[in-house]
Amino acid sequence: MIRDKCAIVVGASSGIGEAAAVQLARRGYRVALVARREHELRKIAERINSRSPAGEERALVFAHDVTHFNEVPELFDRIAQSLGGLTLVVYAAGVMPRVEPEEYDFSKDLKMVEVNLLGMIVWLNEAAQLFTRLQAGTIVGIGSIAGDRGRKGQPVYNTSKGAQAIYLETLRNRLAKHNVRVVTIKPGYIDTLMTRGMGNLLWMISAEEAGRLVANAAETARATVYVPARWRIVAWLLVHIPSFIFRRLDA
Ligand SMILES: NC(=O)c1ccc[n+]([C@@H]2O[C@H](COP(=O)([O-])OP(=O)(O)OC[C@H]3O[C@@H](n4cnc5c(N)ncnc54)[C@H](OP(=O)(O)O)[C@@H]3O)[C@@H](O)[C@H]2O)c1
């Protein structure tokens, strides 16, 4: 492991992951772009590489479905080798299918748990082991404000996000003594494919702005970062609303 500033971004083919990867490349990182839509990844890599200093290939493409859990250990090692080092892993893959108020569709539930939670665990377990050996490194997981309470609209999306936050906190507490930072990002509403068609959402920001804030957090933060920061106040208020009132809200 020799090269400084090398990152893996899982879920880099659109939205927050794409924007974070572009930001990191701008800041001098060599970035491995991971997701299923290889064509999108190649377009993003071309854009990054065309703006890189002459001859430098800052973005590499690895097509992968995070629900193919068994592939991860070998792929993780192969990516680290190809990058020439590894200092940062960002897990941004996620799905949130539409769920009707009375709908309980286990196939949708399974997909959310597999992509949002289990995919994160299998990727970040690899990162935790490598960074423990290196006694250095940063792990960033994209959670959500949705994980702070059990909102009635999206039972399993909220569950996956709440569980992500707990898993990331345990990693942070385990890895602190090994000089490894673990950052939990909790975005509010971001303008991406995930929120397309949902209308005007409170304090919506662009994916580019979110990507910039995620890259800032990856470089400096030590715990949980709300994106944008003003969501921290709303989250604090929501967490303190008693259950019997919260269940009446469309929060
Ligand atoms: N947008 C918001 O308002 C918002 C708010 C809070 C939290 N978040 C979280 O932010 C993260 C990024 O979402 P986004 O808003 O940027 O949405 P997005 O544009 O839909 O991006 C989702 C990313 O996840 C990847 N992905 C989905 N399933 C995958 C699979 N099976 N294997 C590999 N990659 C997979 C997608 O790539 P492929 O389809 O190419 O595989 C894509 O790169 C998610 O965890 C989401 O829950 C978003």
Side-chain angles (χ1 to χ4, degrees):
M1 291 291 164
I2 37 169
R3 210 185 146 110
D4 200 17
K5 287 197 163 193
C6 292
I8 298 176
V9 180
V10 184
S13 58
S14 61
I16 300 171
E18 172 187 354
V22 168
Q23 272 292 329
L24 290 167
R26 255 185 224 154
R27 296 174 191 205
Y29 281 79
R30 198 160 196 231
V31 192
L33 310 174
V34 180
R36 289 168 305 176
R37 286 171 293 159
E38 187 170 358
H39 183 63
E40 297 303 319
L41 294 177
R42 294 217 170 276
K43 283 198 292 194
I44 296 161
E46 267 170 36
R47 219 168 67 227
I48 290 173
N49 290 333
S50 68
R51 291 178 194 157
S52 303
E56 201 182 326
E57 195 185 32
R58 285 229 173 130
L60 309 178
V61 168
F62 297 87
H64 164 72
D65 183 329
V66 297
T67 66
H68 297 173
F69 308 122
N70 293 339
E71 294 173 5
V72 175
E74 184 277 327
L75 178 58
F76 184 92
D77 286 349
R78 186 152 50 86
I79 294 176
Q81 292 291 336
S82 306
L83 289 172
L86 193 62
T87 57
L88 169 66
V89 177
V90 179
Y91 191 88
V95 289
M96 186 185 70
R98 299 289 178 264
V99 174
E100 297 303 321
E102 307 297 334
E103 184 182 4
Y104 297 89
D105 180 337
F106 185 69
S107 62
K108 290 182 182 177
D109 296 342
L110 185 61
K111 192 50 82 186
M112 286 186 270
V113 172
E114 284 185 336
V115 175
N116 303 356
L117 182 61
L118 299 179
M120 170 178 271
I121 292 173
V122 70
W123 274 91
L124 299 191
N125 278 354
E126 291 301 315
Q129 291 171 82
L130 176 65
F131 291 158
T132 297
R133 286 201 298 279
L134 297 176
Q135 294 290 295
T138 302
I139 290 172
V140 175
I142 312 291
S144 173
I145 53 164
D148 286 349
R149 275 310 289 255
R151 292 149 198 252
K152 56 192 173 197
Q154 274 283 3
V156 176
Y157 181 75
N158 287 13
T159 301
S160 72
K161 293 291 161 182
Q164 278 186 328
I166 297 290
Y167 169 74
L168 290 165
E169 185 185 13
T170 60
L171 277 194
R172 178 153 56 246
N173 294 341
R174 272 195 168 198
L175 298 177
K177 68 172 186 280
H178 297 297
N179 190 36
V180 178
R181 278 188 302 118
V182 178
V183 181
T184 307
I185 306 285
K186 293 189 176 180
Y189 296 115
I190 316 295
D191 189 5
T192 68
L193 292 178
M194 190 175 274
T195 48
R196 191 156 291 171
M198 289 172 70
N200 262 347
L201 298 169
L202 179 68
W203 294 340
M204 175 103 99
I205 62 168
S206 68
E208 289 67 29
E209 178 62 3
R212 195 181 63 75
L213 295 171
V214 169
N216 288 351
E219 294 195 319
T220 58
R222 306 215 146 261
T224 298
V225 174
Y226 284 85
V227 167
R230 55 185 177 266
W231 277 103
R232 183 176 285 280
I233 301 158
V234 178
W236 187 89
L237 289 171
L238 284 177
V239 165
H240 288 87
I241 295 175
S243 262
F244 72 93
I245 297 175
F246 191 76
R247 77 178 60 115
R248 291 160 206 264
L249 303 179
D250 279 327

